[in-house]
Amino acid sequence: MALFRNVKDSLSRVLAIRPGVCYGQNYSTAATATPFYQSADDKTAFRYAFGVLSRQFSSQTPPAAAVQMNLIRQLRERTSAPIKDVKDSLVQCNWDIEAAQTDLRKRGKASAMKKAGRIATEGFLALAQNEGKAAVIELNCETDFVARNEIFQYLALTLAKQALLVENGSQLVSGVHPVGLESLEELKFNLEHPKISGDTTVHNAITEVAAMMGENVRLRRGFVMSAPSPGVLSTYLHTSPQPGLGRIAGLLSLEIEDGNSPLDALQRVGSELAVHLVAAKPLFLTKESVSSDALENEREILKSQ
């Protein structure tokens, strides 16, 4: 009781020196003259009282617990960010969901850059194909849990489709050609997913998904196969969670020497051969492409047997 009496008396003496000033909407009152204190206890009591008053008048009352949980749920559904990050952003932005969403995107890109050096060995191969070309890209992440996420899979499929659009003079010749990752990452396109939408670049899309997933997401490589003319392209995806995605991909082209050959039959043969490619895992396509080192190694194995 003595403490509160000191608080009241000290505050009264200070505010009685000169009329105070009202600072806008916070309704905080402050003396305009230098206060005097009769003792150290008066000084301490004044600081305590003024601190309490400042907190009472200046701070905003947080919403009710039910409202908080609803905002956390909404922002989590919008962004798929970790629940801890969602709550931290909402608290930081005084529970303004739009400001918190912007804050999450800013913080997410920074955290994605920090994770860029971590090893990413999980993920999927994504395949896209049109009449003349087939493109396959490898998108990596750190865990199988993220690889099964619908946003990660959507991004992989979208990047495969974009790889078909990268112009490369070598792709006009039949055969397999690597995709220039720098050209692909600079490509602008429109995302149409409920949680990641709008015009962006491939690089920014990967960064944004990495921020949402909380893991390193990396576009490792890509290849484009051009069909011979006349000829057909055949593909096969092994361990495929949905069309266009797989853990192993087999691609091959069949060149037609006789223009009267039925394309449907050739396509079925090509599909069967693509399955065998995945099963056999051949190292070379023809006898002429076998390296001398590989040939000598096989000879040594046969001699030892």
Side-chain angles (χ1 to χ4, degrees), residues 2-191:
L3 172 63
F4 287 104
R5 282 198 296 273
N6 289 336
V7 169
K8 182 177 179 182
D9 293 340
S10 299
L11 187 59
S12 299
R13 284 196 295 272
V14 172
L15 297 180
I17 297 172
R18 189 177 297 179
V21 180
C22 180
Y23 289 94
Q25 298 179 357
N26 290 333
Y27 305 105
S28 297
T29 304
T32 57
T34 303
F36 63 89
Y37 307 99
Q38 294 182 355
S39 66
D41 291 339
D42 288 347
K43 186 175 182 179
T44 302
F46 170 75
R47 288 177 175 174
Y48 173 82
F50 191 78
V52 170
L53 287 175
S54 296
R55 286 193 295 272
Q56 286 178 347
F57 287 108
S58 300
S59 62
Q60 297 183 7
T61 304
V67 177
Q68 291 181 16
M69 292 302 296
N70 186 43
L71 289 171
I72 291 172
R73 179 184 59 79
Q74 289 183 41
L75 189 55
R76 169 88 170 140
E77 290 176 352
R78 285 190 189 184
T79 64
S80 294
I83 192 168
K84 180 180 180 300
D85 295 342
V86 168
K87 184 177 180 181
D88 288 346
S89 288
L90 283 168
V91 171
Q92 183 79 15
C93 300
N94 293 321
W95 299 93
D96 183 335
I97 191 170
E98 300 298 335
Q101 185 172 351
T102 302
D103 179 64
L104 271 176
R105 295 185 67 182
K106 291 179 180 178
R107 291 167 53 188
K109 289 185 178 181
S111 67
M113 296 301 293
K114 293 179 182 179
K115 296 180 177 68
R118 299 197 320 211
I119 297 175
T121 57
E122 293 291 335
F124 278 110
L125 298 171
L127 175 69
Q129 187 174 354
N130 58 25
E131 293 182 359
K133 290 191 299 185
V136 59
I137 62 99
E138 181 178 353
L139 188 65
N140 293 137
C141 57
E142 297 178 45
T143 63
D144 181 62
F145 177 78
V146 167
R148 296 196 304 267
N149 186 282
E150 60 156 340
I151 299 176
F152 179 87
Q153 295 184 6
Y154 169 80
L155 178 63
L157 290 170
T158 304
L159 295 186
K161 294 175 183 177
Q162 295 303 312
L164 284 175
L165 303 178
V166 176
E167 295 296 334
N168 189 334
S170 62
Q171 294 176 12
L172 300 176
V173 182
S174 63
V176 180
H177 311 283
V179 174
L181 295 186
E182 292 184 0
S183 300
L184 181 58
E185 289 183 344
E186 293 174 359
L187 196 65
K188 293 183 178 180
F189 68 111
N190 183 44
L191 284 169

Side-chain angles (χ1 to χ4, degrees), residues 183-283:
S183 300
L184 181 58
E185 289 183 344
E186 293 174 359
L187 196 65
K188 293 183 178 180
F189 68 111
N190 183 44
L191 284 169
E192 298 180 352
H193 191 277
K195 295 181 180 179
I196 45 171
S197 59
D199 294 328
T200 184
T201 64
V202 169
H203 175 76
N204 288 340
I206 293 173
T207 302
E208 187 168 351
V209 170
M212 295 171 67
M213 300 295 103
E215 289 190 6
N216 181 20
V217 176
R218 182 171 68 102
L219 178 61
R220 182 183 178 191
R221 55 184 173 173
F223 296 94
V224 171
M225 175 176 279
S226 301
S229 180
V232 295
L233 278 174
S234 297
T235 62
Y236 170 71
L237 288 169
H238 186 64
T239 316
S240 179
Q242 62 169 300
L245 292 177
R247 299 286 184 178
I248 309 174
L251 289 79
L252 65 90
S253 63
L254 295 176
E255 185 175 355
I256 301 173
E257 294 182 355
D258 182 4
N260 297 323
S261 300
L263 293 181
D264 292 343
L266 285 174
Q267 196 71 60
R268 288 195 299 270
V269 171
S271 298
E272 293 293 332
L273 288 175
V275 174
H276 283 287
L277 279 174
V278 171
K281 299 180 181 178
L283 300 177

